[in-house]
Amino acid sequence: MKEIILCKYGEIALKGLNKSSFESMMTKSVKRRLKSCGQFSVSKAQSTLYVEPLNDDSDVDMAVEKLSKIFGIVKLCRCCVLEKDMDEILTKSLDYIEDEMETARTFKVDAKRSDKKFPFKSPEICIEMGGKILERFPHLNVHDPDVVVTVEIRETNAYVHAGSIEGAGGIPVGSSGKAMLLLSGGIDSPVAGYMMAKRGAIISAIHFEAPPYTSDRAKMKVEKLAKIITAYCGDINFFCVPFTEIQELLRDNCPEELFTILMRRLMMEIAQRICEKEDIQALVTGESLGQVASQTMYAMVCTDAACRMPVFRPCVGMDKSEIVEIARKIDTFDTSILPYEDCCTVFTPKHPKTRPNLADVEAAQNAFDWEPYIQKAIEGTKPYLIKNA
């Protein structure tokens, strides 16, 4: 029996005159991600992508897994494809949904008839289909359904499925410009990258390493986090900045209570200069307001004063529990909590200033010539591509 995957749009369907460009981006993303799954045809109609395996070697299970992580798709349905004939629908579709119905206790039938020329109206389709299901699976009842059997009558064919899979939602990656994620290795920053990609941003990532204070394992942990989120974001250009010398100079030349603020300002400056080279329009951090001393509103104001481009903080209003929930959903949590610390934990002051004054911060930064060390760090940065499998 012929099988197909229907990928339903979300807000893309509301994009008006721009809808076709969003569809094109999502279609390209789908084709790219499915290359490792075998041969599939991808077409679009009625705010839906039709993904059809072209031979028996095509891995439909793997395709569904990959499609569920592509932004722009809100729901996937793995369906059998039938002629628009009620007798064929009633006889052949039950074999396709047999496994789901054998293990179900309750069900309902939902019918969607976009082809109004089909001789049966939606309520009539539900009655006919429901009766056939009860004949074959008499153990079922129709109260409080745990399986929904859907019959879709579209322009070319009929499609039947028992249940749908939640998609990633959002809008296609590439529809909102480029952003540089400051990826630390903690719980928050991978979530921030995921959330910005969900709003269409192409994500690059920058990491600051400080050997020997940070280990190779810490760097490997961050690379692994970047690799995990490529399942949603696509390939990531990764920049690893040598930061040891700057941190040691900060330790020796700045007030201890301002160490973290000054460190973040210098990180932002380095990240911005790399962004300017790479035509990247914004920075992204995992900061959550008030979570730690460097993430008070006063500290964020002092950090942003050093920035010439927007700084997006998608986690800023979230509780830690909300961030952890997303981290678990996208499979970064277990890696994030591995005990390999990043450079942000190096030389942490005992009593960081939670209400820093911008004039004091700028005076402390301007008391030392950072320019040659910023340039040296940028020159020593090693960019490479982390690819989605």
Side-chain angles (χ1 to χ4, degrees):
M1 187 180 299
K2 186 177 177 182
E3 187 175 37
I4 199 169
I5 306 166
L6 301 183
C7 304
K8 311 292 183 73
Y9 300 174
E11 61 184 279
I12 293 177
L14 308 175
K15 291 298 182 183
L17 296 176
N18 294 322
K19 179 181 174 182
S20 61
S21 63
F22 283 86
E23 286 179 323
S24 177
M25 289 178 192
M26 191 167 71
T27 301
K28 287 177 182 177
S29 181
V30 166
K31 289 179 177 178
R32 186 167 57 248
R33 302 276 187 97
L34 291 181
K35 282 182 179 178
S36 60
C37 303
Q39 292 186 306
F40 290 82
S41 69
V42 181
S43 58
K44 61 181 185 289
Q46 297 175 288
S47 296
T48 302
L49 283 186
Y50 294 71
V51 179
E52 182 180 351
L54 297 179
N55 54 50
D56 292 339
D57 295 329
S58 300
D59 191 332
V60 178
D61 291 331
M62 184 188 293
V64 168
E65 174 67 19
K66 288 184 176 290
L67 290 167
S68 70
K69 296 177 179 178
I70 294 177
F71 292 124
I73 299 172
V74 298
K75 186 167 68 173
L76 298 93
C77 306
R78 191 168 171 172
C79 314
C80 64
V81 184
L82 302 167
E83 295 295 325
K84 289 192 294 183
D85 176 81
M86 199 64 202
D87 288 337
E88 178 167 327
I89 293 169
L90 293 175
T91 55
K92 292 186 178 180
S93 64
L94 297 192
D95 290 335
Y96 182 75
I97 64 173
E98 181 175 20
D99 290 344
E100 289 85 353
M101 306 317 293
E102 287 285 6
T103 56
R105 294 171 302 163
T106 59
F107 82 102
K108 68 172 279 189
V109 177
D110 186 21
K112 298 177 181 180
R113 187 180 64 121
S114 59
D115 179 5
K116 302 306 180 185
K117 295 178 182 177
F118 189 71
F120 289 81
K121 294 181 179 179
S122 294
E124 295 169 337
I125 296 170
C126 292
I127 291 169
E128 294 290 330
M129 189 70 174
K132 274 291 183 182
I133 290 172
L134 286 172
E135 284 180 17
R136 182 157 171 181
F137 306 101
H139 66 282
L140 295 170
N141 68 62
V142 296
H143 300 292
D144 190 21
D146 52 28
V147 171
V148 177
V149 177
T150 303
V151 182
E152 298 190 37
I153 309 297
R154 293 180 170 242
E155 295 302 321
T156 54
N157 294 101
Y159 303 91
V160 179
H161 59 88
S164 59
I165 299 162
E166 183 180 355
I171 56 179
V173 171
S175 58
S176 299
K178 300 177 183 177
M180 179 72 83
L181 171 66
L182 277 72
L183 188 57
S184 67
I187 296 170
D188 304 341
S189 55
V191 170
Y194 159 84
M195 292 175 70
M196 288 305 300
K198 187 172 184 176
R199 298 312 306 161
I202 296 172
I203 299 297
S204 295
I206 188 167
H207 176 66
F208 295 83
E209 63 172 349
Y213 305 105
T214 59
S215 67
D216 287 341
R217 286 185 173 183
K219 180 183 174 185
M220 291 167 62
K221 168 185 169 181
V222 173
E223 291 172 338
K224 184 176 180 181
L225 287 170
K227 180 72 173 178
I228 292 169
I229 63 172
T230 62
Y232 296 92
C233 305
D235 297 348
I236 290 176
N237 286 316
F238 187 87
F239 300 84
C240 193
V241 181
F243 204 58
T244 306
E245 187 173 23
I246 288 177
Q247 285 197 288
E248 290 175 336
L249 289 167
L250 280 167
R251 177 196 60 191
D252 298 337
N253 294 280
C254 80
E256 182 188 8
E257 70 273 13
L258 296 179
F259 175 89
T260 305
I261 297 297
L262 291 171
M263 178 185 70
R264 292 192 68 78
R265 283 170 61 93
L266 292 171
M267 285 179 170
M268 292 296 200
E269 180 59 36
I270 291 169
Q272 285 177 109
R273 295 195 192 185
I274 292 174
C275 286
E276 288 162 0
K277 283 185 186 179
E278 301 292 326
D279 190 30
I280 295 172
Q281 293 80 43
L283 301 173
V284 179
T285 78
E287 291 165 297
S288 172
L289 187 62
Q291 185 171 205
V292 295
S294 65
Q295 296 178 20
T296 65
M297 192 174 294
Y298 302 90
M300 289 183 188
V301 167
C302 291
T303 300
D304 284 0
C307 296
R308 301 178 296 279
M309 58 178 56
V311 181
F312 295 122
R313 297 179 171 94
C315 301
V316 71
M318 300 173 67
D319 293 338
K320 193 68 176 185
S321 60
E322 294 173 304
I323 299 171
V324 167
E325 183 180 354
I326 297 174
R328 290 186 186 279
K329 173 186 171 183
I330 64 175
D331 295 327
T332 56
F333 180 77
D334 290 340
T335 301
S336 291
I337 62 173
L338 292 173
Y340 310 126
E341 296 183 331
D342 57 64
C343 72
C344 295
T345 62
V346 176
F347 311 134
T348 303
K350 291 182 180 178
H351 303 289
K353 199 135 183 133
T354 58
R355 294 192 174 195
N357 177 275
L358 179 58
D360 294 340
V361 171
E362 290 178 336
Q365 184 171 337
N366 293 335
F368 188 85
D369 183 11
W370 296 103
E371 184 59 30
Y373 303 100
I374 290 172
Q375 286 292 343
K376 186 177 177 181
I378 292 171
E379 289 167 5
T381 297
K382 305 178 184 70
Y384 47 94
L385 185 66
I386 296 181
K387 292 185 69 66
N388 173 235

